[in-house]
Each structure stands twice: as C-alpha cells, then as structure tokens.
Amino acid sequence: MTIFKSRKRPSNMFFFHLFFTSLLALLCTKIAKTTKTQTCEETAQADNLPTSSACAFEPNMKLPVNRDMAITLTNPMYCPCKLKHIVTFKFKDGVTNEEIHEVRQRFMELESKCLRPNGQPYIESIISGFQHSYEGFHRDQDVAFVVSFKSQGDRNYYVGEPLISANDSDLFDPVHAKFKEYVGPLLDFDNDSSIPAVVFDFCA
C-alpha cells in the first residue's frame, strides 16, 4: 500500500518575499534608466545651448562681444566637442634658453592652475614640444603647445580677450590672462617680417 504525503503549502511569508523581491528589481531598473549620465551634448540641449553640430565659426563676429553673449559663449556646455587649441611662439633675439624653458614650464602648469570660478579645472591636457620639422614650413616658430578642451565654452573662457571684453573679467581666466602678459614681451613683435605667434583651433 502506497502512502502519498501531502505537499506543504508555501507560507504567506514566502509570497511576501517573492513580491518584495520583484518590486525591488523593478524599482532598481527604473532608477537606472532615469539616472542615466547625460553627455555634454544632451546637457547642452537641455540648457538650450548650441551643440557641436550647430557651432559654426563666425570669422566676421564683432569683437569683443557684449556681456550677454559672453555669458553664453563661456558656458562650459557651450558647443561641446573635442577641441584642440594649437599655439606656437617665436621668441625675439636675446631671449635665453633658460627663459624659453621657463615659458614652456609656466605654460604646462596652466593645466592645473587654470580653474573655473567654482574651483574646478577645465583643461583636459596640454602637450608641448620644440620645432622638429625638416619640411621648411615652420616659419621660424620655436615651440608649440596643444591644449585640449571639452567644449568651445571652456576654450572661450580660457582665451578671454579679444573675444571677451576686459570689462567682463569675471568671464575669463585670470591665470591665463597673466600668462599672456608675461610671455608677450618675450615674443618677436619687433621684426615686421616675423610671426611672433600662431594660434589655430579645431574641433576633432
């Protein structure tokens, strides 16, 4: 004679645990979707700022711009892109090797010393090197720097004048402004046939 044992019914606690676990999983999935990290372009769109696809260079823009425009142009989310700011210097006669190396060191230090008003650094990187081309088109430039930014807004805050008026000094970097004052007298502005500096920017 076979005796069948009756199965034990799950307790109410089992069903409560199953319901609670399912609910917790659903909430976690929803939170993950709603807290997705925004890209620079998504943030710019949310703030009604131009994205990189809408940022055309305007060579005929009247400079300096007015304050309202300057506030927009120096917003860190203005025109997000991988921006490369290339600078080359030609030093005037009489500038020593020690002075040239000092210029290079001070320029490189801008990466950590240039800060937004909230204390946050905004330069992604700076690389530098001395002229090393055999092609003959370096136009006597002595040293070059490549500064990387995450947006045109960061580049504009860094550059300051002539884009931003000197009267709007709260909208450009005072550390970089002081560096420009320091390096200017060392560059070859005395020779009419020379090019004391070259600046070329592009979005990669």
Side-chain angles (χ1 to χ4, degrees):
M1 177 174 158
T2 305
I3 300 175
F4 294 95
K5 294 183 178 180
S6 61
R7 293 184 178 180
K8 187 177 180 181
R9 294 181 60 187
S11 66
N12 291 336
M13 184 60 69
F14 170 79
F15 288 110
F16 174 78
H17 178 73
L18 182 63
F19 171 77
F20 180 77
T21 304
S22 301
L23 181 61
L24 184 62
L26 182 63
L27 286 174
C28 288
T29 302
K30 190 169 184 179
I31 291 173
K33 288 181 179 180
T34 55
T35 58
K36 176 188 173 184
T37 302
Q38 287 186 314
T39 65
C40 286
E41 296 235 1
E42 289 170 339
T43 304
Q45 289 173 339
D47 293 339
N48 294 318
L49 294 170
T51 60
S52 57
S53 59
C55 293
F57 176 60
E58 299 181 31
N60 298 320
M61 181 186 293
K62 184 179 179 180
L63 304 179
V65 298
N66 62 49
R67 181 170 178 82
D68 288 341
M69 178 63 75
I71 291 173
T72 297
L73 293 179
T74 57
N75 187 301
M77 289 299 126
Y78 177 79
C79 295
C81 67
K82 295 179 180 179
L83 193 146
K84 304 299 180 184
H85 174 74
I86 302 172
V87 180
T88 66
F89 292 150
K90 182 186 186 307
F91 297 99
K92 64 183 180 182
D93 293 339
V95 176
T96 66
N97 286 335
E98 289 76 15
E99 288 175 311
I100 292 174
H101 283 280
E102 177 70 14
V103 167
R104 188 184 181 199
Q105 179 179 340
R106 290 196 186 191
F107 200 126
M108 297 297 291
E109 289 174 352
L110 294 177
E111 180 177 343
S112 59
K113 290 185 176 182
C114 284
L115 306 173
R116 283 283 187 170
N118 62 3
Q120 293 299 313
Y122 62 93
I123 296 176
E124 286 204 303
S125 67
I126 300 178
I127 57 175
S128 171
F130 294 104
Q131 202 294 115
H132 201 281
S133 172
Y134 295 106
E135 296 177 84
F137 296 107
H138 55 82
R139 302 301 296 271
D140 295 325
Q141 299 298 296
D142 296 310
V143 62
F145 303 86
V146 180
V147 188
S148 297
F149 299 98
K150 291 185 291 186
S151 69
Q152 291 189 33
D154 282 340
R155 184 274 314 271
N156 296 339
Y157 179 77
Y158 170 83
V159 170
E161 295 183 84
L163 178 65
I164 310 301
S165 170
N167 296 326
D168 295 322
S169 58
D170 59 316
L171 297 178
F172 60 81
D173 195 316
V175 174
H176 182 233
K178 288 182 179 180
F179 174 80
K180 290 193 289 185
E181 292 177 1
Y182 154 73
V183 75
L186 301 175
L187 303 182
D188 192 10
F189 287 97
D190 301 331
N191 188 346
D192 292 338
S193 62
S194 71
I195 302 174
V198 175
V199 180
F200 189 96
D201 295 355
F202 68 93
C203 287

